[in-house]
Amino acid sequence: LASLVRGLFTSRRKGLFSTISLGSLIFFDDYSSILIVGNSLRPLLSAVRLSVEKFAFVAHVMGTTLASLSPVSSWVGLQIGYIAAVYQQIGWTHADPFIGFLQTLRFRFFPLSVLAFVVLNAASGRDFGPMRAAEARAAAAEEGEAAAEEAREEEAEAPGALDPTPGTPLRAVNALLPFGMVMGASFLGMVMGGLAHIGALPALGRPAANLVNALRFADSVTALLWGSVAGWLTSLTLVLSQRLLSLSEAMDAWTNGIKEVLEPTLVLLLAWALGEVIRDVGTAEFIATSLQAGLPAWSLPALISLICYVISFACGSSFGTMGIVFPLVGPLAFSVGGGEARFLYRCLGATMGGAIFGNVCSPISDTTILTTLATRCGLAQHMRTTIPYTAIAGLVALVCGDLAVGLGLCGAGGGIVLCVAALLGVQLALGRSPTRPQSDAQ
């Protein structure tokens, strides 16, 4: 796969846009997007001296934000369920929660802002803070140490149990077909699992058996497991049929592949445990309840976003944050807004948008751990480079989105335009190209 698409990776900019494009194609599930993008494009980074920190940031943002915004994804069912529960609280039993989901999309300023930041950053080629230092290190290797570094890497990696032996023919089909099988089987498994779940529900009140409802009731983790099994069976068939490996060698490679994910799996389990401890001691509930009263209506969506930022960063879970905040926000927004539907959607959008914050930059988030696993970027490096960018996007979304719309300065579309303009200004004011001459840097 790396050899096939190497022609597209002729510069860091094209490499970033290729990463964005592949992430956009796998919009239906955050786990699938991060794992497939990270593992398939990671081998190309050294060819264009794109830093692994920047690559991890882009893959992480694309995977989490698109899945949360897409009406056809593994996220949509839970979000629709939360909206339906709010409708029950306020007595809107006639309202369609899926339509409510669509109405909230324009008010999710944080995920829209961080997506815009990624695109603007890739287009401008400007970075600042720890990310610029990481990009400068990658660029410096291109200028002086590329050959020596690649030689050292090849020498160090030669004994690797998962590396092909010298002289093994590199064929694109051996990568494209297994990855395609993982994507196709995962999506098909989500659809089939969701339809099976719908069929098992009582006939009275059973939802229609369509694609949206199938993904709403899908178990994406199980589907991804089956997709992975289909992928490695496909790969096994290919290498055996082409006589690239013997059966014994193929099974040894499979075993060594399992060994590589044991350590990240333990880290992920400990991250979940820490998140559960934070939830059980009631930290998030205390933050939410202590900040919700005594504020004017125009400030409520911004306050909700801020609360969701804090809670999601603390517990590392967007779903957990929504579960905490939604029961508080629904009746409060309905009361403060005088029953106005648009104000309710603004508050619900602030909840679902702000809850993504922790999924992008919390060190205990499951998607953060998966990103470090898929991209081979260390957790400390990923956090050090991601948090500044995420914090800026969050602040811009809060001020130019939630507050600007709340004060009546513009509508939702105008708020999005303001956010993009502000992020562009940040890029131009703070960003510098990591490849500029040393005299200019001084």
Side-chain angles (χ1 to χ4, degrees):
L1 180 61
S3 299
L4 179 68
V5 300
R6 189 174 296 276
L8 300 176
F9 276 66
T10 56
S11 66
R12 281 198 297 272
R13 180 174 298 173
K14 290 183 179 180
L16 286 171
F17 276 110
S18 297
T19 305
I20 292 171
S21 300
L22 184 56
S24 300
L25 293 175
I26 314 173
F27 61 88
F28 55 86
D29 184 65
D30 51 345
Y31 286 11
S32 300
S33 177
I34 291 170
L35 290 174
I36 293 172
V37 172
N39 284 296
S40 60
L41 299 184
R42 186 185 65 243
L44 301 174
L45 301 183
S46 60
V48 296
R49 295 299 176 249
L50 175 64
S51 70
V52 68
E53 292 89 347
K54 174 69 78 63
F55 175 64
F57 172 67
V58 174
H60 196 173
V61 168
M62 297 302 296
T64 53
T65 54
L66 288 181
S68 72
L69 293 169
S70 174
V72 180
S73 74
S74 59
W75 284 54
V76 68
L78 189 67
Q79 294 178 91
I80 289 175
Y82 283 140
I83 294 173
V86 168
Y87 285 172
Q88 290 291 330
Q89 284 182 298
I90 63 178
W92 283 14
T93 55
H94 62 283
D96 186 344
F98 183 70
I99 300 300
F101 169 86
L102 297 178
Q103 292 286 351
T104 65
L105 291 177
R106 53 187 170 148
F107 299 115
R108 302 192 197 186
F109 295 111
F110 172 72
L112 295 173
S113 295
V114 76
L115 277 173
F117 186 93
V118 166
V119 175
L120 292 172
N121 181 261
S124 68
R126 293 168 173 260
D127 287 290
F128 53 88
M131 187 69 80
R132 183 172 182 270
E135 283 288 273
R137 286 193 298 270
E142 181 181 25
E143 294 168 3
E145 301 179 358
E149 181 182 347
E150 288 181 2
R152 286 195 301 268
E153 289 178 354
E154 289 178 1
E155 182 180 355
E157 293 179 0
L162 296 179
D163 294 313
T165 57
T168 301
L170 303 179
R171 301 180 177 122
V173 67
N174 291 336
L176 290 175
L177 195 56
F179 276 124
M181 182 62 70
V182 172
M183 294 170 60
S186 298
F187 186 77
L188 182 62
M190 290 169 63
V191 173
M192 293 181 63
L195 291 175
H197 190 281
I198 292 172
L201 295 175
L204 183 61
R206 179 186 299 166
N210 53 37
L211 179 62
V212 172
N213 285 330
L215 291 174
R216 174 184 173 186
F217 290 96
D219 182 353
S220 63
V221 175
T222 300
L224 186 58
L225 287 174
W226 283 110
S228 300
V229 171
W232 72 258
L233 285 176
T234 302
S235 181
L236 179 65
T237 302
L238 288 170
V239 297
L240 291 180
S241 63
Q242 298 172 42
R243 300 183 183 277
L244 300 178
L245 296 175
S246 66
L247 180 59
S248 175
E249 291 171 333
M251 296 312 297
D252 286 342
W254 183 81
T255 304
N256 282 301
I258 291 179
K259 292 178 182 178
E260 285 204 351
V261 300
L262 286 179
E263 182 178 351
T265 300
L266 291 175
V267 175
L268 181 58
L269 288 173
L270 293 174
W272 283 339
L274 180 58
E276 288 296 310
V277 170
I278 292 173
R279 189 194 67 177
D280 290 342
V281 299
T283 303
E285 289 87 345
F286 171 77
I287 294 172
T289 55
S290 62
L291 295 178
Q292 70 175 347
L295 290 170
W298 60 265
S299 66
L300 184 58
L303 176 63
I304 292 170
S305 291
L306 185 59
I307 291 174
C308 288
Y309 289 177
V310 175
I311 295 176
S312 62
F313 186 84
C315 69
S317 171
S318 295
F319 291 168
T321 302
M322 293 180 199
I324 293 167
V325 177
F326 257 107
L328 303 171
V329 165
L332 180 62
F334 189 73
S335 175
V336 172
E340 181 188 0
R342 186 174 183 273
F343 185 78
L344 177 65
Y345 293 139
R346 280 173 52 199
C347 293
L348 298 183
T351 303
M352 288 184 280
I356 304 301
F357 182 87
N359 253 38
V360 177
C361 68
S362 174
I364 62 173
S365 169
D366 52 357
T367 54
T368 298
I369 304 301
L370 286 175
T371 300
T372 61
L373 165 64
T375 64
R376 305 289 174 85
C377 178
L379 180 60
Q381 299 99 297
H382 184 45
M383 289 296 93
R384 185 167 57 248
T385 52
T386 296
I387 288 177
Y389 282 7
T390 308
I392 288 175
L395 180 62
V396 167
L398 204 65
V399 175
C400 299
D402 293 313
L403 284 177
V405 174
L407 292 170
L409 302 179
C410 57
I416 295 171
V417 172
L418 279 178
C419 290
V420 173
L423 291 170
L424 178 59
V426 169
Q427 291 276 349
L428 296 177
L430 301 180
R432 297 290 185 274
S433 172
T435 57
R436 62 181 182 152
Q438 182 63 27
S439 59
D440 181 34
Q442 293 174 351

